[in-house]
């Protein structure tokens, strides 16, 4: 019978033979006690004879491999923990849902076909950027669920044994798509298909983190885990701030300062609750700078690349020494100079490694010459050994460059699933900060937690919840983030709420404040009364002079539709009315870049994108999370005799939609349908109470 040993933090390029030798020499185990060894993403799974694993974990506790400490632990089955077993079960349900999605219309919306290569160039980190467009040059790309940063496969079409290349979408518009590949596709194929590639690495990292957290014993991680599971009370110890820390928080308002001080006092975990527009990221930045001023190392994460880069840009502006992990094409231009790839490429060790790899390639070419001439005895083997030795030397230098760059960082930033053991080794951090924590499923949050002494979660559980495909997993609880679970567990003790918002006119803010935050928000005087004509060159009209306009389409016959072979819905008449309002804003000299159009339904997104110029941003509510525009128009879509609101019933999503506008919010919807739901009944009542209500009949031309 075999048990499972897990090794984490292995250097890139580690082979099974290296692990086998490590177990023999450092673990002092017999050859016949070692089974299969599988290595992936800086981690190894090793079959070990029953009864030997616990001793091995202790033996490998302080072992280094190629100058890097590794981590070892044993199978979850040896340490039963109901909470983590449940999370693992939900992840399996989610994986099943991802696989089943492929046989529906959703698959077609995550793929593009009949593409041809229009160009190639080199990007950051040596990536090859390949531009693809429809073979018929008169056609635009169809609407797709693919987006920038999505993992994809480029597949040859019309081939019995097609070649495939994995990559990442680096740019996408209506005429072409660009993907970043590790190497140029050498092919004679006429056309290609681009399809979504499920991210197996992310799920593996989540599973691994749950194993580590569950099996940890008598460690700091075990103590932190017990607090996060509600088995031990959190501890806070207020300490006086030093001069540098005081300076970093001096520009914050009272609620923000209280949140930072609360987080700094946490020995285990603290929450910063940031409703829309309250300066959450600014507060988190000040917290990280204060932690740096206390000589703490910080790991800063968020569920999305955009959220990570928003935080990174603020830290760069404050002078923090940061390193951004992640695929270069997923990083904004403002942060590119601080990516690990860029910083390592500038290091002298890496430049030396490049020269050595070039020498190794030359030696291999010498060995290949013997295809035409007979080599001397052992000469060809000697050349191959020499090349292998050079490659090993280059790999050591590259690893050394990575280590030195990471050692100099005050803050390392990445997405939750971007915490890469092959890069970080056994590194641990005094503080882990997770921004936008309400948008992440709990298993993803455990990835950085396993490397942390204490944890700060910042976000808002009343805004976008995590995205979960599996209805079974969603209903069971996978859609409840760690932030939300802790707010339910001990929110009053763990959290501090930010209360002053700096984005919205107070009328735009008020309904959200009443519905989600017990009317606790207040608008800063700088934004409380601002409207569009306060901006230079924008004309004062009936539409621009007020903060909110709600247009009720009840009774006008603006019925929702469901396009063929889709689960989504659109509403053509409502879309046409929205386009009319956009044009009125443009005629009043509101700039296209100041306007966003959002809707909960992907079919309506496609319809509106076809009707509006490309200069107007059209997208989903999810895509606007954490962002803002001067004017935002919302199409609610639903209009039916059954009073069915479907997707709109997730009111936290609507909270996001209603709070993206700074100076002008326009909402279009059928009150006869939506007010069946109490939330929307209250919303329409609020719009009426402030004089923002208009009937569609007032908009029609007779």
């Amino acid at each position: 019978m075999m048990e499972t040993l897990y090794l984490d933090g292995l250097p890139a390029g580690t082979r099974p033979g290296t692990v086998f030798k490590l177990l023999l020499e450092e673990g002092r185990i017999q050859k016949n006690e070692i089974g299969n060894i599988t290595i992936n993403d800086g981690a190894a799974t090793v079959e070990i004879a029953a009864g030997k694993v616990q001793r091995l974990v202790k033996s490998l506790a302080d072992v280094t491999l190629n100058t890097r400490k590794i981590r070892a632990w044993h199978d979850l089955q040896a340490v039963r923990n109901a909470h983590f077993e449940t999370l693992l079960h939900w992840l399996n349900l989610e994986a099943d849902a991802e696989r089943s999605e492929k046989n529906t219309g959703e698959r077609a919306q995550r793929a593009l076909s009949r593409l041809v290569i229009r160009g190639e160039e080199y990007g950051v980190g040596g990536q090859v950027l390949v531009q693809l467009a429809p073979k018929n040059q008169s056609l635009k790309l169809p609407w797709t669920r693919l987006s920038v940063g999505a993992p994809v496969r480029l597949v040859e079409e019309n081939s019995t044994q097609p070649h495939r290349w994995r990559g990442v979408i680096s740019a996408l518009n209506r005429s072409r798509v660009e993907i970043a590949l590790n190497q140029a596709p050498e092919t004679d194929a006429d056309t290609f298909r681009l399809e979504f590639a499920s991210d197996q690495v992310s799920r593996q990292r989540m599973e691994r983190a749950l194993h580590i957290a569950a099996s940890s014993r008598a460690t700091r991680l075990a103590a932190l885990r017990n607090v996060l599971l509600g088995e031990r009370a959190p501890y806070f110890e207020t300490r006086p701030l030093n001069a540098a820390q005081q300076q970093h928080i001096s520009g914050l308002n009272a609620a923000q300062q209280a949140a930072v001080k609360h987080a700094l006092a946490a020995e285990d975990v603290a929450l910063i609750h940031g409703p829309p527009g309250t300066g959450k990221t600014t507060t988190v930045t000040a917290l990280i700078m204060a932690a740096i001023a206390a000589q703490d190392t910080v790991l800063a994460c968020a569920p999305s690349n955009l959220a990570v880069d928003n935080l990174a840009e603020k830290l760069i502006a404050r002078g923090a020494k940061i390193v951004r992990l992640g695929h270069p094409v997923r990083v904004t231009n403002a942060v590119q100079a601080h990516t690990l790839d860029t910083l390592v490429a500038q290091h002298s060790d890496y430049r030396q490694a490049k020269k050595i790899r070039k020498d190794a390639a030359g030696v291999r070419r010498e060995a290949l010459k013997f295809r035409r001439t007979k080599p001397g005895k052992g000469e060809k083997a000697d050349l191959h050994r020499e090349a292998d030795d050079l490659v090993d030397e280059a790999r050591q230098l590259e690893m050394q460059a990575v280590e030195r760059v990471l050692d100099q960082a005050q803050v390392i930033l990445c997405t939750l699933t971007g915490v890469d053991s092959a890069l970080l080794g056994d590194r641990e951090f005094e503080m882990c900060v997770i921004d936008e924590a309400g948008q992440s499923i709990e298993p993803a949050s455990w990835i950085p937690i396993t490397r942390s002494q204490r944890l700060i979660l910042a976000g808002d559980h009343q805004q976008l919840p995590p995205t979960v495909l599996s209805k079974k997993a969603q209903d069971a609880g996978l859609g409840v983030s760690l932030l939300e679970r802790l707010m339910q567990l001990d929110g009053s003790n763990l959290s501090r709420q930010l209360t002053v918002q700096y984005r919205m006119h107070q009328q735009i803010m008020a309904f959200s404040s009443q519905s989600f935050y017990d009317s606790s928000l207040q608008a800063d005087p700088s934004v409380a009364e601002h409207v569009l004509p306060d901006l230079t060159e924008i004309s004062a009209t009936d539409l621009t002079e007020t903060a909110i306009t709600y247009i009720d389409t009840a009774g006008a016959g603006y019925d929702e539709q469901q396009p063929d072979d889709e689960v989504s819905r659109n509403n053509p008449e409502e879309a046409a009315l929205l386009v009319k309002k956009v044009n009125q804003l443009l005629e009043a000299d509101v700039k296209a870049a100041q306007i966003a159009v959002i809707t909960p339904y992907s079919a309506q997104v496609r319809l509106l994108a076809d009707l509006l110029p490309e200069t107007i941003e059209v997208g989903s509510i999810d895509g606007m999370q954490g962002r803002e525009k001067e004017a935002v128009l919302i199409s609610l879509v639903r209009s039916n005799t059954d009073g069915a609101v479907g997707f709109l019933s997730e009111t936290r999503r609507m909270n996001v939609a209603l709070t993206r506008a700074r100076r002008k919010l326009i909402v279009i919807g059928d009150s006869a349908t939506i007010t069946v739901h109490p939330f929307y009944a209250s919303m329409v009542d609020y719009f009426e109470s402030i004089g923002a209500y208009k009937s569609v009949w007032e908009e029609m031309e007779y």
Side-chain angles (χ1 to χ4, degrees):
M1 182 177 176
M2 306 295 278
E3 295 179 349
T4 305
L5 171 73
Y6 296 95
L7 301 177
D8 195 21
L10 302 177
T14 301
R15 301 181 181 90
T18 304
V19 173
F20 188 81
K21 183 179 178 181
L22 177 77
L23 295 174
L24 294 178
E25 295 179 354
E26 301 292 343
R28 302 190 183 283
I29 193 169
Q30 301 301 312
K31 290 181 180 180
N32 60 2
E33 295 175 326
I34 304 173
N36 292 331
I37 300 175
T38 304
I39 299 179
N40 186 34
D41 188 41
T45 304
V46 187
E47 292 180 349
I48 300 293
K52 302 290 183 178
V53 174
Q54 283 188 312
R55 183 180 64 79
L56 263 180
V57 170
K58 292 179 181 178
S59 299
L60 298 174
D62 295 311
V63 167
T64 61
L65 183 61
N66 292 341
T67 72
R68 172 185 284 176
K69 283 188 178 181
I70 62 174
R71 300 190 296 177
W73 71 100
H74 48 77
D75 193 352
L76 176 65
Q77 301 304 320
V79 186
R80 310 299 294 188
N81 185 298
H83 182 77
F84 292 104
E85 288 180 332
T86 298
L87 293 179
L88 285 167
H89 174 62
W90 291 345
L91 285 180
N92 288 332
L93 292 176
E94 186 71 352
D96 291 341
E98 288 177 3
R99 285 189 288 269
S100 65
E101 184 187 51
K102 294 181 180 180
N103 58 15
T104 67
E106 297 287 326
R107 182 178 185 179
Q109 294 171 5
R110 286 192 165 197
L112 297 167
S113 59
R114 301 285 293 167
L115 301 176
V116 295
I117 295 176
R118 297 292 187 197
E120 294 179 11
E121 59 185 67
Y122 284 93
V124 177
Q127 297 286 306
V128 180
L129 304 180
V130 179
Q131 292 88 38
L132 300 137
K135 184 175 183 179
N136 185 337
Q137 297 187 43
S138 65
L139 297 178
K140 291 185 176 181
L141 290 174
W143 184 88
T144 176
R145 289 182 181 272
L146 295 173
S147 59
V148 173
V152 290
R153 279 189 298 267
L154 181 65
V155 185
E156 294 175 331
E157 287 186 318
N158 304 319
S159 174
T160 55
Q161 292 183 317
H163 288 92
R164 294 176 171 84
W165 298 266
R166 289 186 69 94
V168 173
I169 293 181
S170 51
L172 177 65
N173 57 37
R174 296 182 194 178
S175 58
R176 64 176 52 198
V177 58
E178 179 185 85
I179 60 172
L181 304 174
N182 290 326
Q183 63 184 47
E186 297 180 3
T187 173
D188 295 325
D190 293 327
T191 61
F192 300 85
R193 175 181 174 85
L194 193 66
E195 57 189 35
F196 180 76
S198 59
D199 190 356
Q200 300 292 335
V201 170
S202 293
R203 186 165 65 252
Q204 289 166 357
R205 288 178 180 175
M206 285 187 275
E207 291 172 349
R208 199 155 68 229
L210 297 178
H211 281 296
I212 295 173
S215 61
S216 183
R217 289 292 179 270
T219 63
R220 176 61 195 144
L221 173 59
L224 182 56
R225 175 198 63 209
N226 293 342
V227 172
L228 296 177
L229 297 187
E231 297 171 0
R232 181 174 71 80
Y235 179 67
F236 294 86
E237 182 178 350
T238 303
R239 304 177 184 86
L241 304 186
N242 62 40
Q245 290 177 306
Q246 290 283 6
Q247 184 177 0
H248 285 306
I249 71 170
S250 60
L252 303 180
N253 65 42
Q256 291 170 333
Q257 288 195 22
V260 171
K261 291 177 180 178
H262 177 68
L264 291 173
E267 291 293 320
D268 306 293
V269 59
L271 315 180
I272 297 177
H273 181 196
T278 54
K280 171 183 57 62
T281 304
T282 297
T283 305
V284 170
T285 303
L287 166 66
I288 292 173
M289 295 304 298
I292 291 172
Q295 305 301 312
D296 284 349
T297 55
V298 181
L299 176 62
C301 300
S304 70
N305 283 287
L306 181 60
V308 174
D309 287 344
N310 286 341
L311 183 56
E313 288 181 31
K314 288 184 177 293
L315 288 167
I316 292 167
R318 297 284 290 267
K321 295 178 182 178
I322 76 160
V323 174
R324 170 69 158 94
L325 307 184
H327 197 293
V329 304
R330 290 176 169 143
V331 178
T332 60
N333 291 335
V335 184
Q336 284 287 351
H338 301 269
T339 61
L340 181 64
D341 292 60
T342 300
L343 294 170
V344 168
Q346 296 168 354
H347 199 278
S348 58
D349 287 340
Y350 183 78
R351 291 196 293 269
Q352 180 64 22
K354 284 184 69 175
K355 293 178 183 177
I356 294 173
R357 281 189 180 275
K358 186 176 181 180
D359 292 341
V363 173
R364 289 197 192 282
R365 283 194 296 272
E366 285 295 318
L368 291 174
K369 289 180 181 178
F370 291 126
R371 290 178 178 175
R372 295 184 294 273
T373 62
K374 186 176 180 179
K377 185 177 180 180
E379 188 175 353
K380 187 174 180 179
D382 288 344
L383 286 172
H384 279 299
R385 276 194 296 271
E386 181 182 350
D388 289 342
D389 289 343
L390 287 171
V391 169
D392 286 341
E393 183 181 352
R395 188 179 292 119
Q396 290 280 352
L397 284 170
E398 289 166 351
M399 188 188 309
Q400 190 168 288
V402 169
E403 292 289 321
R404 289 179 175 175
V405 168
L406 294 176
D407 286 343
Q408 292 170 2
Q410 295 172 317
V411 189
I412 293 176
L413 297 104
C414 59
T415 60
L416 293 167
T417 56
V419 178
D420 188 345
S421 291
L423 296 175
L424 295 178
D426 71 333
R427 272 183 174 75
E428 293 188 352
F429 301 83
E430 277 90 11
M431 177 183 287
C432 171
V433 177
I434 301 179
D435 198 9
E436 301 294 0
Q439 296 180 47
S440 168
I441 59 174
E442 182 173 333
S445 295
W446 281 97
I447 302 174
I449 290 172
T450 63
R451 296 178 175 274
S452 308
Q453 298 294 310
R454 61 189 192 278
L455 173 68
I456 311 299
L457 300 176
D460 184 7
H461 58 294
Q462 299 290 8
Q463 294 189 61
L464 282 182
T467 299
V468 177
L469 290 177
S470 167
K471 188 176 186 307
K472 287 183 180 179
Q474 174 70 38
D475 293 344
L478 186 58
V480 177
S481 66
L482 178 59
L483 173 69
E484 182 178 1
R485 183 169 68 75
L486 291 177
M487 287 293 294
Q488 296 169 350
L489 182 68
D490 193 14
S492 60
N493 185 35
L494 290 175
S495 73
R496 294 294 181 271
Q497 183 189 322
L498 309 182
T499 55
V500 180
Q501 70 86 17
Y502 298 88
R503 174 188 300 158
M504 296 162 275
H505 188 289
Q506 58 189 3
Q507 287 185 340
I508 299 175
M509 172 200 75
F511 179 68
S512 172
S513 180
Q514 293 168 12
S515 302
F516 296 96
Y517 309 107
D518 297 323
S519 297
S520 61
L521 301 185
Q522 61 186 74
D524 186 77
S526 63
V527 302
E529 300 288 343
H530 68 182
V531 289
L532 287 173
D534 294 337
L535 296 171
T536 306
E537 298 180 354
I538 294 180
S539 304
T541 68
D542 289 344
L543 188 63
T544 62
E545 283 187 313
T546 58
I548 301 179
T549 300
Y550 170 68
I551 304 175
D552 186 1
T553 64
Y558 286 13
D559 296 335
E560 66 187 63
Q561 298 180 6
Q562 189 166 1
D564 294 340
D565 301 322
E566 284 198 41
V567 295
S568 189
R569 288 170 168 77
N570 65 20
N571 191 317
E573 289 86 1
E574 188 173 292
L577 177 57
L578 186 144
V579 170
K580 178 181 176 182
K581 306 316 290 184
V582 168
N583 289 332
Q584 289 176 1
L585 291 175
L586 294 173
E587 289 165 4
D589 296 316
V590 180
K591 295 179 177 63
Q594 296 173 318
I595 301 171
V597 173
I598 56 179
T599 178
Y601 288 92
S602 58
Q604 188 78 339
V605 171
R606 295 198 300 280
L607 177 58
L608 287 165
D610 288 339
L611 295 173
L612 289 164
E614 287 193 38
T615 51
I616 300 293
E617 180 178 354
V618 181
S620 66
I621 295 172
D622 296 38
M624 280 296 291
Q625 171 70 17
R627 302 175 57 223
E628 60 188 49
K629 290 280 187 174
E630 299 296 343
V632 172
L633 298 91
I634 304 172
S635 170
L636 297 180
V637 178
R638 299 312 298 260
S639 179
N640 54 72
T641 57
D642 300 324
V645 296
F647 201 48
L648 298 183
S649 62
E650 177 48 87
T651 57
R652 290 180 295 180
R653 183 167 270 103
M654 191 51 54
N655 183 32
V656 172
L658 295 171
T659 56
R660 298 307 97 193
R662 288 174 50 79
R663 301 168 190 264
K664 182 66 186 185
L665 173 66
I666 300 174
V667 182
I668 303 176
D670 179 355
S671 67
T673 298
I674 64 174
T675 56
V676 171
H677 193 291
F679 174 85
Y680 294 99
S682 297
M683 181 186 76
V684 173
D685 287 345
Y686 171 71
F687 289 155
E688 285 186 303
S689 73
I690 61 172
Y693 177 93
K694 288 182 179 293
S695 169
V696 69
W697 303 106
E698 299 174 53
E699 296 292 326
M700 290 183 174
E701 296 179 3
Y702 294 90

